[in-house]
Amino acid sequence: MPELPEVETVCRGLAKAMTGEVIARVDVAREKLRTPVPKSLPAIAGARVEEISRRAKYILLRMNNGETVIFHLGMSGRMTIVKKGETHAPEKHDHITLHLKNGARIVFNDARRFGLVDVEKTERLDAHKLFAHLGPEPLDRGFTGAYLAQKLKGKKVAVKLAIMDQRLVVGVGNIYASEALFMAGIDPERAAGKIKPAEAEKLASCIRAVLKKAIAAGGSSLRDYVQADGELGYFQHQWAVYGKAGEKCPGCDCDIRKTGGIKRLVQGARSTFYCPKKQK
DNA sequence: CGGCAAACCTGCGAGC
DNA sequence: TGCTCGCAGGTTTGCC
């Protein structure tokens, strides 16, 4: 499920439920995730959540004991908030439960187990193996058209794969890569190095725009970012091309029976959706 | 280092 | 109904 906007929405929901609260107990039902759940995780019991933030697609819980708890949702990870007094029917892949002192619980469920949890000293976080190689945040100042143009220079790889490389910029996953290239009018198969500076400028601003729009949709479609069942981060998406092969391109008025509409292709074993008429 | 395929793991819908 | 196949929003690893 999660790309950057979904993770951002989950973070905001968690922040509302957990900031300032004390962890009473940690239950680990399954240790074998993408990386093994650290033995030290249950030892955060007794610590207070100072701040919740996001780096790339990682959720960071900064605790008042000098540690930061790191969550990644992988492909299928979900967070559910169970308030005090509410019930939660146990599910097959509920791997980790954080019990808060106030009686609420946070349940991490991940069927495919591509997600992970880790604990790291907050002061050493930047040097953590998971973060050391990450590029800039797409919504930060450092991610400019000039930066993108410079990073794409000389690359033979398709521009769609290039912008999904977390070393270049973080948080752009398979869906929003397609969406941003559509908005920018750029053919996803073009060699990254062939993208002109003006196009890179447009692409950078379109990446920011699609992510911001999705974050806004996540925030506005959820009451306090939490659905009735407590599940975080899912919301009604409004994609232009993703998953819409054979449908009419929202920017074209051409005859779909002649053009075939939006096309699907495979790049790096992932689906790409695009409009051949709009994207050159 | 660049580029690419395969690997990790489970669930779901389509088609037979 | 039940089987097989293809596909799924992420990231790492290993090979050439």
Side-chain angles (χ1 to χ4, degrees):
Chain A
M1 100 69 200
E3 289 189 30
L4 185 147
E6 291 76 22
V7 178
E8 178 65 29
T9 303
V10 170
C11 275
R12 293 180 187 183
L14 289 180
K16 203 168 167 60
M18 298 184 79
T19 305
E21 301 298 333
V22 172
I23 309 274
R25 181 164 57 94
V26 180
D27 289 343
V28 179
R30 181 89 184 210
E31 293 190 7
K32 203 166 172 282
L33 303 183
R34 190 173 103 207
T35 56
V37 176
K39 300 285 184 204
S40 60
L41 181 64
I44 64 165
R48 183 188 310 277
V49 180
E50 297 275 14
E51 185 187 33
I52 295 185
S53 60
R54 176 189 61 71
R55 171 75 174 111
K57 296 167 192 163
Y58 296 91
I59 298 164
L60 306 176
L61 280 59
R62 183 166 59 81
M63 312 300 296
N64 72 341
N65 64 352
E67 307 274 0
T68 290
V69 180
I70 304 161
F71 277 96
H72 192 287
L73 302 177
M75 293 273 258
S76 54
R78 299 178 331 214
M79 292 285 193
T80 302
I81 296 172
V82 185
K83 291 181 183 159
K84 181 179 182 177
E86 289 180 353
T87 56
H88 168 74
E91 293 182 50
K92 189 173 177 185
H93 300 288
D94 286 350
H95 303 313
I96 293 174
T97 302
L98 305 178
H99 298 261
L100 304 186
K101 202 173 168 186
N102 70 9
R105 285 171 289 161
I106 312 298
V107 182
F108 173 64
N109 179 292
D110 181 14
R112 291 176 73 180
R113 284 189 275 134
F114 288 175
L116 67 84
V117 191
D118 204 358
V119 181
E120 179 62 280
K121 293 261 182 254
T122 300
E123 60 185 16
R124 290 209 297 259
L125 207 53
D126 288 343
H128 192 288
K129 186 169 181 281
L130 294 168
F131 304 124
H133 65 92
L134 293 179
E137 290 287 330
L139 300 179
D140 280 359
R141 295 257 176 232
F143 183 65
T144 63
Y147 167 84
L148 180 58
Q150 184 254 318
K151 294 301 259 187
L152 295 179
K153 203 187 294 178
K155 282 198 192 313
K156 291 177 183 169
V157 73
V159 60
K160 192 235 186 182
L161 297 177
I163 61 173
M164 288 177 66
D165 185 338
Q166 305 296 298
R167 292 169 299 185
L168 195 157
V169 61
V170 302
V172 182
N174 198 40
I175 293 177
Y176 296 104
S178 280
E179 292 294 305
L181 286 162
F182 171 75
M183 187 188 275
I186 295 171
D187 179 344
E189 292 194 285
R190 293 240 325 258
K194 298 285 187 187
I195 302 298
K196 296 186 178 67
E199 293 175 309
E201 191 71 49
K202 179 153 198 200
L203 181 53
S205 75
C206 288
I207 287 170
R208 285 191 294 268
V210 296
L211 294 176
K212 279 185 185 173
K213 187 182 165 198
I215 291 170
S220 64
S221 70
L222 290 179
R223 181 168 38 89
D224 299 332
Y225 308 113
V226 183
Q227 295 187 350
D229 60 3
E231 195 167 294
L232 291 170
Y234 290 90
F235 47 91
Q236 210 55 42
H237 295 277
Q238 8 186 350
W239 298 317
V241 290
Y242 184 82
K244 295 185 183 291
E247 294 183 35
K248 196 178 165 311
C249 160
C252 287
D253 47 11
C254 52
D255 184 354
I256 190 173
R257 285 167 304 183
K258 274 174 72 176
T259 65
I262 294 163
K263 296 272 187 293
R264 170 184 181 269
L265 62 87
V266 176
Q267 296 179 282
R270 317 296 298 278
S271 291
T272 301
F273 298 88
Y274 72 110
C275 172
K277 192 175 176 205
K278 288 270 295 177
Q279 296 173 253
K280 301 293 183 189

